[in-house]
Amino acid sequence: MVTCWIALTDCGADAPGLEWIGGEPPGLLAPVALRDEALGRLHCEAAFRRPVMRPGDCLAFTGGVLHHTHVSRSMRHDRTSLEIRLFDAARIPARLHGDRFVAVPQELQRISQ
């Protein structure tokens, strides 16, 4: 799976942005291991990425990259973003089986190959 996260408004400074940890975890983590405190104990501060983004900026990353919304007390604005997940229709992750999907038209599939 590849995720494309697109900022539609300014974010990361005065509005919530995206935060991720460099490198992929060895596997699925238990919910307790995803808490900020637990992640802070496992990773040094430099491992946390929090870019400031402008409308139209895009991040693309694989499905194993641990990410979430980053918000601080000083942020006073809303953000709007778009998250698009792309993956092989024959290999839909089990956790997404209940989701609704839109197929990419054949013409676009040929362009990407």
Side-chain angles (χ1 to χ4, degrees):
M1 177 170 71
V2 173
T3 297
C4 296
W5 195 93
I6 305 163
L8 299 179
T9 57
D10 289 334
C11 61
D14 294 328
L18 190 71
E19 175 180 66
W20 75 92
I21 297 173
E24 292 193 17
L28 286 178
L29 299 174
V32 69
L34 296 172
R35 293 186 180 145
D36 289 342
E37 307 80 35
L39 293 172
R41 285 191 301 272
L42 291 174
H43 303 279
C44 68
E45 182 61 29
F48 293 83
R49 314 299 172 135
R50 300 175 190 113
V52 174
M53 299 174 70
R54 308 271 311 156
D57 288 349
C58 176
L59 295 169
F61 47 90
T62 61
V65 173
L66 192 56
H67 68 285
H68 71 159
T69 296
H70 168 69
V71 62
S72 68
R73 292 181 189 268
S74 65
M75 294 177 176
R76 299 289 180 236
H77 299 282
D78 292 331
R79 77 125 199 267
T80 303
S81 60
L82 182 63
E83 186 170 332
I84 301 170
R85 295 182 184 135
L86 306 163
F87 47 87
D88 184 337
R91 297 184 344 189
I92 296 172
R95 71 182 194 280
L96 301 178
H97 281 179
D99 289 2
R100 183 173 166 231
F101 301 98
V102 176
V104 175
Q106 290 293 324
E107 315 75 72
L108 293 177
Q109 289 181 28
R110 285 192 293 275
I111 291 170
S112 67
Q113 294 174 353

